[in-house]
Amino acid sequence: RNLRHNFGASVPPAATDGAHSSAAAEPWPGAVAVGTGRAAVAVLDWTVPVGEQLQGCSAAPDVVLAAECVWLAELIEPFADAAAALLLSRQGSCSSAEPREGEDRQGHDTREDGQAALPPPVLFLSSRERARSGSTTFAPVGAALAALAARGCGDCRLVERHEAGGGQDDEDEDSPLLVYAVRPDKP
């Protein structure tokens, strides 16, 4: 439902049936149909503002997947900037634009039709703990979570923990894989 809601916000109705009117009209270039919604992938340069890389407010995602992105200390702040920009895109720079149907200018659901409110966007962040005590190269996952919280995305919970497989010679496999769900702070 969220994918359809976001996709339909800036695309003419004729384009939502699987036909594409033009790449410029589609908020996520290369998006494909998934059920009744749309899904797309975007590779972002964390050192360039997200708004310069994606097509404005209509590109506000419902779900962001980030796997093995958090491990070099020098990339924590740029990663947090990019991830927070995506999660807050409905309320940040988009607040001066026309709201999408069923939303106010801050991206909050204003439906009165009895349907469930749209959930806030979510970042699923998965990473292994690579930082060792005293490391200046690797950052603990907690550093990325703290950087996201400092940017207004502190609603975080650990949703899965997969223990290392054991028997692996790869040193990256000796720590558990952690999967977090991170959302914008609740109003």
Side-chain angles (χ1 to χ4, degrees), residues 72-100:
L72 290 176
E74 67 193 56
L75 294 178
I76 294 295
E77 296 300 319
F79 170 78
D81 287 341
L86 290 168
L87 292 175
L88 299 171
S89 60
R90 292 182 193 170
Q91 54 188 285
S93 62
C94 295
S95 62
S96 62
E98 285 301 309
R100 297 182 293 187

PDB file of all heavy atoms in Angstrom, residues 72-100:
ATOM      1  N   LEU A  72      33.376   1.571   8.374  1.00  0.00           N
ATOM      2  CA  LEU A  72      34.503   2.497   8.415  1.00  0.00           C
ATOM      3  C   LEU A  72      34.109   3.757   9.185  1.00  0.00           C
ATOM      4  O   LEU A  72      33.106   4.397   8.862  1.00  0.00           O
ATOM      5  CB  LEU A  72      34.953   2.881   7.007  1.00  0.00           C
ATOM      6  CG  LEU A  72      35.636   1.779   6.207  1.00  0.00           C
ATOM      7  CD1 LEU A  72      35.950   2.267   4.801  1.00  0.00           C
ATOM      8  CD2 LEU A  72      36.905   1.318   6.913  1.00  0.00           C
ATOM      9  N   ALA A  73      34.903   4.119  10.159  1.00  0.00           N
ATOM     10  CA  ALA A  73      34.602   5.263  11.016  1.00  0.00           C
ATOM     11  C   ALA A  73      34.416   6.541  10.207  1.00  0.00           C
ATOM     12  O   ALA A  73      33.521   7.340  10.497  1.00  0.00           O
ATOM     13  CB  ALA A  73      35.703   5.431  12.063  1.00  0.00           C
ATOM     14  N   GLU A  74      35.217   6.749   9.189  1.00  0.00           N
ATOM     15  CA  GLU A  74      35.153   7.986   8.410  1.00  0.00           C
ATOM     16  C   GLU A  74      33.866   8.115   7.595  1.00  0.00           C
ATOM     17  O   GLU A  74      33.537   9.196   7.116  1.00  0.00           O
ATOM     18  CB  GLU A  74      36.364   8.093   7.487  1.00  0.00           C
ATOM     19  CG  GLU A  74      36.365   7.038   6.392  1.00  0.00           C
ATOM     20  CD  GLU A  74      37.694   6.931   5.675  1.00  0.00           C
ATOM     21  OE1 GLU A  74      38.712   6.714   6.341  1.00  0.00           O
ATOM     22  OE2 GLU A  74      37.686   7.064   4.449  1.00  0.00           O
ATOM     23  N   LEU A  75      33.118   7.024   7.432  1.00  0.00           N
ATOM     24  CA  LEU A  75      31.892   7.069   6.637  1.00  0.00           C
ATOM     25  C   LEU A  75      30.615   7.117   7.469  1.00  0.00           C
ATOM     26  O   LEU A  75      29.520   7.199   6.916  1.00  0.00           O
ATOM     27  CB  LEU A  75      31.842   5.870   5.686  1.00  0.00           C
ATOM     28  CG  LEU A  75      32.924   5.870   4.607  1.00  0.00           C
ATOM     29  CD1 LEU A  75      32.813   4.610   3.761  1.00  0.00           C
ATOM     30  CD2 LEU A  75      32.851   7.116   3.749  1.00  0.00           C
ATOM     31  N   ILE A  76      30.739   7.087   8.781  1.00  0.00           N
ATOM     32  CA  ILE A  76      29.548   7.107   9.642  1.00  0.00           C
ATOM     33  C   ILE A  76      28.725   8.375   9.428  1.00  0.00           C
ATOM     34  O   ILE A  76      27.505   8.308   9.211  1.00  0.00           O
ATOM     35  CB  ILE A  76      29.928   6.961  11.138  1.00  0.00           C
ATOM     36  CG1 ILE A  76      30.519   5.579  11.397  1.00  0.00           C
ATOM     37  CG2 ILE A  76      28.738   7.247  12.045  1.00  0.00           C
ATOM     38  CD1 ILE A  76      29.553   4.433  11.201  1.00  0.00           C
ATOM     39  N   GLU A  77      29.352   9.529   9.485  1.00  0.00           N
ATOM     40  CA  GLU A  77      28.603  10.792   9.344  1.00  0.00           C
ATOM     41  C   GLU A  77      27.987  10.943   7.949  1.00  0.00           C
ATOM     42  O   GLU A  77      26.800  11.273   7.845  1.00  0.00           O
ATOM     43  CB  GLU A  77      29.496  11.989   9.703  1.00  0.00           C
ATOM     44  CG  GLU A  77      29.950  11.993  11.161  1.00  0.00           C
ATOM     45  CD  GLU A  77      28.812  12.033  12.163  1.00  0.00           C
ATOM     46  OE1 GLU A  77      27.828  12.775  11.942  1.00  0.00           O
ATOM     47  OE2 GLU A  77      28.896  11.312  13.176  1.00  0.00           O
ATOM     48  N   PRO A  78      28.733  10.706   6.854  1.00  0.00           N
ATOM     49  CA  PRO A  78      28.084  10.794   5.533  1.00  0.00           C
ATOM     50  C   PRO A  78      26.947   9.789   5.362  1.00  0.00           C
ATOM     51  O   PRO A  78      25.913  10.121   4.775  1.00  0.00           O
ATOM     52  CB  PRO A  78      29.220  10.510   4.544  1.00  0.00           C
ATOM     53  CG  PRO A  78      30.471  10.831   5.284  1.00  0.00           C
ATOM     54  CD  PRO A  78      30.180  10.522   6.734  1.00  0.00           C
ATOM     55  N   PHE A  79      27.125   8.566   5.881  1.00  0.00           N
ATOM     56  CA  PHE A  79      26.044   7.578   5.799  1.00  0.00           C
ATOM     57  C   PHE A  79      24.812   8.080   6.555  1.00  0.00           C
ATOM     58  O   PHE A  79      23.685   8.014   6.049  1.00  0.00           O
ATOM     59  CB  PHE A  79      26.483   6.225   6.367  1.00  0.00           C
ATOM     60  CG  PHE A  79      25.332   5.270   6.520  1.00  0.00           C
ATOM     61  CD1 PHE A  79      24.811   4.598   5.424  1.00  0.00           C
ATOM     62  CD2 PHE A  79      24.738   5.070   7.757  1.00  0.00           C
ATOM     63  CE1 PHE A  79      23.728   3.744   5.550  1.00  0.00           C
ATOM     64  CE2 PHE A  79      23.660   4.205   7.895  1.00  0.00           C
ATOM     65  CZ  PHE A  79      23.151   3.539   6.794  1.00  0.00           C
ATOM     66  N   ALA A  80      25.014   8.581   7.766  1.00  0.00           N
ATOM     67  CA  ALA A  80      23.892   9.059   8.580  1.00  0.00           C
ATOM     68  C   ALA A  80      23.193  10.238   7.900  1.00  0.00           C
ATOM     69  O   ALA A  80      21.964  10.343   7.944  1.00  0.00           O
ATOM     70  CB  ALA A  80      24.364   9.438   9.977  1.00  0.00           C
ATOM     71  N   ASP A  81      23.963  11.124   7.274  1.00  0.00           N
ATOM     72  CA  ASP A  81      23.350  12.241   6.541  1.00  0.00           C
ATOM     73  C   ASP A  81      22.428  11.729   5.441  1.00  0.00           C
ATOM     74  O   ASP A  81      21.296  12.180   5.308  1.00  0.00           O
ATOM     75  CB  ASP A  81      24.432  13.141   5.921  1.00  0.00           C
ATOM     76  CG  ASP A  81      25.177  13.987   6.930  1.00  0.00           C
ATOM     77  OD1 ASP A  81      24.668  14.180   8.059  1.00  0.00           O
ATOM     78  OD2 ASP A  81      26.279  14.456   6.591  1.00  0.00           O
ATOM     79  N   ALA A  82      22.928  10.791   4.636  1.00  0.00           N
ATOM     80  CA  ALA A  82      22.144  10.271   3.512  1.00  0.00           C
ATOM     81  C   ALA A  82      20.924   9.487   3.996  1.00  0.00           C
ATOM     82  O   ALA A  82      19.813   9.689   3.504  1.00  0.00           O
ATOM     83  CB  ALA A  82      23.025   9.391   2.621  1.00  0.00           C
ATOM     84  N   ALA A  83      21.122   8.607   4.967  1.00  0.00           N
ATOM     85  CA  ALA A  83      20.008   7.793   5.466  1.00  0.00           C
ATOM     86  C   ALA A  83      18.935   8.665   6.112  1.00  0.00           C
ATOM     87  O   ALA A  83      17.740   8.471   5.875  1.00  0.00           O
ATOM     88  CB  ALA A  83      20.514   6.740   6.443  1.00  0.00           C
ATOM     89  N   ALA A  84      19.345   9.624   6.923  1.00  0.00           N
ATOM     90  CA  ALA A  84      18.375  10.515   7.572  1.00  0.00           C
ATOM     91  C   ALA A  84      17.637  11.362   6.541  1.00  0.00           C
ATOM     92  O   ALA A  84      16.434  11.590   6.671  1.00  0.00           O
ATOM     93  CB  ALA A  84      19.073  11.393   8.600  1.00  0.00           C
ATOM     94  N   ALA A  85      18.333  11.810   5.510  1.00  0.00           N
ATOM     95  CA  ALA A  85      17.666  12.592   4.461  1.00  0.00           C
ATOM     96  C   ALA A  85      16.557  11.780   3.814  1.00  0.00           C
ATOM     97  O   ALA A  85      15.466  12.301   3.542  1.00  0.00           O
ATOM     98  CB  ALA A  85      18.684  13.048   3.420  1.00  0.00           C
ATOM     99  N   LEU A  86      16.794  10.499   3.576  1.00  0.00           N
ATOM    100  CA  LEU A  86      15.760   9.646   2.993  1.00  0.00           C
ATOM    101  C   LEU A  86      14.595   9.441   3.960  1.00  0.00           C
ATOM    102  O   LEU A  86      13.432   9.531   3.575  1.00  0.00           O
ATOM    103  CB  LEU A  86      16.350   8.297   2.597  1.00  0.00           C
ATOM    104  CG  LEU A  86      17.303   8.314   1.404  1.00  0.00           C
ATOM    105  CD1 LEU A  86      18.049   6.990   1.297  1.00  0.00           C
ATOM    106  CD2 LEU A  86      16.557   8.619   0.123  1.00  0.00           C
ATOM    107  N   LEU A  87      14.916   9.161   5.219  1.00  0.00           N
ATOM    108  CA  LEU A  87      13.861   8.893   6.196  1.00  0.00           C
ATOM    109  C   LEU A  87      13.038  10.138   6.521  1.00  0.00           C
ATOM    110  O   LEU A  87      11.856  10.039   6.858  1.00  0.00           O
ATOM    111  CB  LEU A  87      14.457   8.314   7.473  1.00  0.00           C
ATOM    112  CG  LEU A  87      15.055   6.915   7.349  1.00  0.00           C
ATOM    113  CD1 LEU A  87      15.730   6.511   8.651  1.00  0.00           C
ATOM    114  CD2 LEU A  87      13.998   5.902   6.953  1.00  0.00           C
ATOM    115  N   LEU A  88      13.661  11.301   6.448  1.00  0.00           N
ATOM    116  CA  LEU A  88      12.979  12.547   6.811  1.00  0.00           C
ATOM    117  C   LEU A  88      12.488  13.326   5.602  1.00  0.00           C
ATOM    118  O   LEU A  88      11.970  14.430   5.754  1.00  0.00           O
ATOM    119  CB  LEU A  88      13.919  13.425   7.645  1.00  0.00           C
ATOM    120  CG  LEU A  88      14.384  12.809   8.960  1.00  0.00           C
ATOM    121  CD1 LEU A  88      15.471  13.663   9.603  1.00  0.00           C
ATOM    122  CD2 LEU A  88      13.221  12.604   9.906  1.00  0.00           C
ATOM    123  N   SER A  89      12.608  12.764   4.411  1.00  0.00           N
ATOM    124  CA  SER A  89      12.281  13.508   3.190  1.00  0.00           C
ATOM    125  C   SER A  89      10.829  13.954   3.129  1.00  0.00           C
ATOM    126  O   SER A  89      10.525  14.970   2.524  1.00  0.00           O
ATOM    127  CB  SER A  89      12.631  12.686   1.956  1.00  0.00           C
ATOM    128  OG  SER A  89      11.909  11.481   1.940  1.00  0.00           O
ATOM    129  N   ARG A  90       9.938  13.253   3.778  1.00  0.00           N
ATOM    130  CA  ARG A  90       8.527  13.662   3.765  1.00  0.00           C
ATOM    131  C   ARG A  90       8.292  14.916   4.589  1.00  0.00           C
ATOM    132  O   ARG A  90       7.347  15.643   4.355  1.00  0.00           O
ATOM    133  CB  ARG A  90       7.641  12.551   4.320  1.00  0.00           C
ATOM    134  CG  ARG A  90       7.585  11.345   3.448  1.00  0.00           C
ATOM    135  CD  ARG A  90       6.647  10.337   4.051  1.00  0.00           C
ATOM    136  NE  ARG A  90       6.806   9.045   3.399  1.00  0.00           N
ATOM    137  CZ  ARG A  90       6.264   7.949   3.847  1.00  0.00           C
ATOM    138  NH1 ARG A  90       5.515   7.958   4.937  1.00  0.00           N
ATOM    139  NH2 ARG A  90       6.444   6.823   3.219  1.00  0.00           N
ATOM    140  N   GLN A  91       9.121  15.167   5.572  1.00  0.00           N
ATOM    141  CA  GLN A  91       8.881  16.306   6.451  1.00  0.00           C
ATOM    142  C   GLN A  91       9.913  17.411   6.336  1.00  0.00           C
ATOM    143  O   GLN A  91       9.649  18.531   6.704  1.00  0.00           O
ATOM    144  CB  GLN A  91       8.803  15.843   7.900  1.00  0.00           C
ATOM    145  CG  GLN A  91      10.000  15.048   8.357  1.00  0.00           C
ATOM    146  CD  GLN A  91       9.799  14.448   9.712  1.00  0.00           C
ATOM    147  OE1 GLN A  91       9.860  15.174  10.681  1.00  0.00           O
ATOM    148  NE2 GLN A  91       9.554  13.163   9.789  1.00  0.00           N
ATOM    149  N   GLY A  92      11.079  17.123   5.805  1.00  0.00           N
ATOM    150  CA  GLY A  92      12.149  18.111   5.729  1.00  0.00           C
ATOM    151  C   GLY A  92      11.957  19.077   4.586  1.00  0.00           C
ATOM    152  O   GLY A  92      11.063  19.908   4.576  1.00  0.00           O
ATOM    153  N   SER A  93      12.809  18.952   3.583  1.00  0.00           N
ATOM    154  CA  SER A  93      12.783  19.870   2.456  1.00  0.00           C
ATOM    155  C   SER A  93      11.501  19.765   1.656  1.00  0.00           C
ATOM    156  O   SER A  93      11.206  20.632   0.865  1.00  0.00           O
ATOM    157  CB  SER A  93      13.977  19.607   1.543  1.00  0.00           C
ATOM    158  OG  SER A  93      13.913  18.304   1.018  1.00  0.00           O
ATOM    159  N   CYS A  94      10.736  18.725   1.853  1.00  0.00           N
ATOM    160  CA  CYS A  94       9.500  18.544   1.097  1.00  0.00           C
ATOM    161  C   CYS A  94       8.339  19.317   1.712  1.00  0.00           C
ATOM    162  O   CYS A  94       7.289  19.398   1.120  1.00  0.00           O
ATOM    163  CB  CYS A  94       9.128  17.066   1.030  1.00  0.00           C
ATOM    164  SG  CYS A  94      10.306  16.090   0.105  1.00  0.00           S
ATOM    165  N   SER A  95       8.532  19.902   2.878  1.00  0.00           N
ATOM    166  CA  SER A  95       7.396  20.521   3.558  1.00  0.00           C
ATOM    167  C   SER A  95       6.841  21.721   2.810  1.00  0.00           C
ATOM    168  O   SER A  95       5.701  22.077   2.985  1.00  0.00           O
ATOM    169  CB  SER A  95       7.782  20.920   4.982  1.00  0.00           C
ATOM    170  OG  SER A  95       8.821  21.870   4.962  1.00  0.00           O
ATOM    171  N   SER A  96       7.635  22.346   1.928  1.00  0.00           N
ATOM    172  CA  SER A  96       7.115  23.484   1.189  1.00  0.00           C
ATOM    173  C   SER A  96       6.410  23.056  -0.094  1.00  0.00           C
ATOM    174  O   SER A  96       5.736  23.844  -0.728  1.00  0.00           O
ATOM    175  CB  SER A  96       8.246  24.449   0.845  1.00  0.00           C
ATOM    176  OG  SER A  96       9.190  23.791   0.017  1.00  0.00           O
ATOM    177  N   ALA A  97       6.584  21.803  -0.474  1.00  0.00           N
ATOM    178  CA  ALA A  97       5.933  21.294  -1.675  1.00  0.00           C
ATOM    179  C   ALA A  97       4.495  20.914  -1.356  1.00  0.00           C
ATOM    180  O   ALA A  97       4.105  20.827  -0.203  1.00  0.00           O
ATOM    181  CB  ALA A  97       6.684  20.059  -2.188  1.00  0.00           C
ATOM    182  N   GLU A  98       3.748  20.656  -2.394  1.00  0.00           N
ATOM    183  CA  GLU A  98       2.381  20.209  -2.183  1.00  0.00           C
ATOM    184  C   GLU A  98       2.415  18.835  -1.531  1.00  0.00           C
ATOM    185  O   GLU A  98       3.141  17.955  -1.979  1.00  0.00           O
ATOM    186  CB  GLU A  98       1.635  20.147  -3.507  1.00  0.00           C
ATOM    187  CG  GLU A  98       1.255  21.514  -4.036  1.00  0.00           C
ATOM    188  CD  GLU A  98       0.379  22.269  -3.058  1.00  0.00           C
ATOM    189  OE1 GLU A  98      -0.643  21.727  -2.588  1.00  0.00           O
ATOM    190  OE2 GLU A  98       0.727  23.414  -2.746  1.00  0.00           O
ATOM    191  N   PRO A  99       1.623  18.630  -0.480  1.00  0.00           N
ATOM    192  CA  PRO A  99       1.604  17.309   0.161  1.00  0.00           C
ATOM    193  C   PRO A  99       0.977  16.267  -0.757  1.00  0.00           C
ATOM    194  O   PRO A  99       0.182  16.591  -1.631  1.00  0.00           O
ATOM    195  CB  PRO A  99       0.751  17.531   1.411  1.00  0.00           C
ATOM    196  CG  PRO A  99      -0.064  18.737   1.117  1.00  0.00           C
ATOM    197  CD  PRO A  99       0.733  19.581   0.161  1.00  0.00           C
ATOM    198  N   ARG A 100       1.341  15.014  -0.534  1.00  0.00           N
ATOM    199  CA  ARG A 100       0.737  13.927  -1.278  1.00  0.00           C
ATOM    200  C   ARG A 100      -0.672  13.717  -0.754  1.00  0.00           C
ATOM    201  O   ARG A 100      -1.002  14.101   0.366  1.00  0.00           O
ATOM    202  CB  ARG A 100       1.562  12.657  -1.108  1.00  0.00           C
ATOM    203  CG  ARG A 100       2.951  12.818  -1.687  1.00  0.00           C
ATOM    204  CD  ARG A 100       3.752  11.567  -1.569  1.00  0.00           C
ATOM    205  NE  ARG A 100       4.038  11.263  -0.180  1.00  0.00           N
ATOM    206  CZ  ARG A 100       4.841  10.295   0.204  1.00  0.00           C
ATOM    207  NH1 ARG A 100       5.429   9.545  -0.675  1.00  0.00           N
ATOM    208  NH2 ARG A 100       5.070  10.069   1.475  1.00  0.00           N
TER     209      ARG A 100
END
